[in-house]
Amino acid sequence: MLEVDGVGFAYGRAHVLNEVSLSVGPGEIVALLGSNGAGKTTLLENVSGLLTPDNGSVQFEDEDITGMAAHQTWNRGLVHVPEDRKLFPDMSVDETLDIGTPRDISDEQQASLRRRVFDIFPILEERLGQRVGQMSGGQQQMVSMSRGLMAEPDLLLLDEPTLGLAPDLADDILDTIAQINNEGTTILLVSQQALDALDIADRAYVLENGRITLSGTAAELRQTDEVRQAYLGL
Ligand SMILES: Nc1ncnc2c1ncn2[C@@H]1O[C@H](COP(=O)(O)OP(=O)(O)OP(=O)(O)O)[C@@H](O)[C@H]1O
Ligand SMILES: [Mg+2]
């Protein structure tokens, strides 16, 4: 479904990504692990079109999307839920869901997409009129993911969805990610909470200083010394 091949990217003269290659197959949850500043967010931005790779290519569903603008990849079903949630604090939940909703769908389709979102996050139905800036961090993460789900993504790029959340809430969000995947959405999950991410992932990659240094099934990676020491604290 997603094929990243030899992607390189520099901010000015600062090389952040070097020859990064990875793939995500239909139906998978693939985790991308790596410490602060490894280049995880930059990689997602190069995939979704917020940034354009200097080298290499990105294929999505057999189409070359290298350098395509973010609104075009979004329309194709590749949806990026960003690290800092990028919500407008003065907008209501209702208005925020509308941002993610394709403009050309019928009222019935919109209602059924909302129904699906409320099945996943029931609290949002009760909070439709609330300003998102007044909500807790966990609820804001739900709003940000829901805005993405309204686009009916084939592939969701999730950047640190549990960052800053209390452990219970983080567990809830991870369960929800597994549920969204079970219902048919493929997921590329960036997380510093490696143990949790590996719990729900099929496969994983480790990115260090802009290079992929390890990859394998989640079970394999959980057993490597590098991952145990660097990310699992074992
Ligand atoms: N807009 C920018 N301009 C210049 N350098 C940047 C910019 N954004 C990120 N960087 C640098 O690029 C490198 C990779 O950053 P990036 O945010 O992709 O890492 P990350 O793996 O997502 O880190 P974190 O786990 O902290 O989110 C870092 O050295 C960072 O300082
Ligand atoms: Mg990041």
Side-chain angles (χ1 to χ4, degrees):
M1 177 170 271
L2 179 72
E3 200 73 53
V4 175
D5 189 16
V7 163
F9 182 82
Y11 292 104
R13 291 177 61 98
H15 288 275
V16 172
L17 299 176
N18 293 292
E19 295 269 330
V20 173
S21 298
L22 60 79
S23 64
V24 182
E28 281 192 306
I29 299 181
V30 173
L32 179 64
L33 312 178
S35 44
N36 280 328
K40 304 179 299 296
T41 296
T42 304
L43 180 61
L44 293 193
E45 290 175 345
N46 271 271
V47 168
S48 65
L50 292 169
L51 295 172
T52 300
D54 298 327
N55 313 103
S57 67
V58 183
Q59 303 263 335
F60 176 60
E61 292 178 333
D62 297 326
E63 185 180 13
D64 187 347
I65 59 161
T66 318
M68 198 178 270
H71 69 273
Q72 292 174 305
T73 61
W74 178 286
N75 284 336
R76 282 166 170 72
L78 195 170
V79 165
H80 183 173
V81 178
E83 181 167 22
D84 52 8
R85 301 178 188 132
K86 295 267 188 318
L87 296 168
F88 300 98
D90 289 334
M91 281 189 152
S92 65
V93 172
D94 194 23
E95 291 165 327
T96 306
L97 291 180
D98 274 348
I99 296 177
T101 310
R103 65 179 76 184
D104 54 356
I105 65 171
S106 67
D107 291 350
E108 291 77 31
Q109 283 172 304
Q110 181 188 18
S112 99
L113 283 170
R114 282 192 172 217
R115 174 62 28 226
R116 175 170 176 235
V117 163
F118 298 146
D119 284 345
I120 295 170
F121 299 115
I123 184 117
L124 297 187
E125 188 164 21
E126 298 160 25
R127 301 289 174 88
L128 267 179
Q130 189 168 4
R131 288 172 47 208
V132 298
Q134 292 174 330
M135 302 177 93
S136 70
Q139 290 168 352
Q140 291 191 19
Q141 183 60 42
M142 295 176 197
V143 175
S144 180
M145 286 172 65
S146 297
R147 178 179 53 190
L149 288 173
M150 290 301 292
E152 286 198 284
D154 296 326
L155 174 65
L156 258 187
L157 310 180
L158 298 175
D159 197 350
E160 306 276 7
T162 59
L163 192 69
L165 302 185
D168 282 3
L169 269 174
D171 285 349
D172 288 350
I173 294 282
L174 282 162
D175 287 347
T176 306
I177 292 167
Q179 181 193 345
I180 292 167
N181 174 252
N182 270 330
E183 292 173 7
T185 306
T186 304
I187 289 171
L188 178 57
L189 169 65
V190 165
S191 183
Q192 288 189 30
Q193 256 115 335
L195 196 56
D196 297 340
L198 290 176
D199 261 353
I200 62 166
D202 301 298
R203 291 188 302 116
Y205 294 85
V206 175
L207 187 69
E208 279 306 309
N209 293 321
R211 291 179 192 276
I212 301 285
T213 54
L214 272 177
S215 64
T217 65
E220 284 165 356
L221 284 200
R222 218 184 274 122
Q223 279 163 13
T224 62
D225 288 341
E226 290 95 323
V227 170
R228 288 166 66 86
Q229 285 162 13
Y231 303 108
L232 306 183
L234 300 173

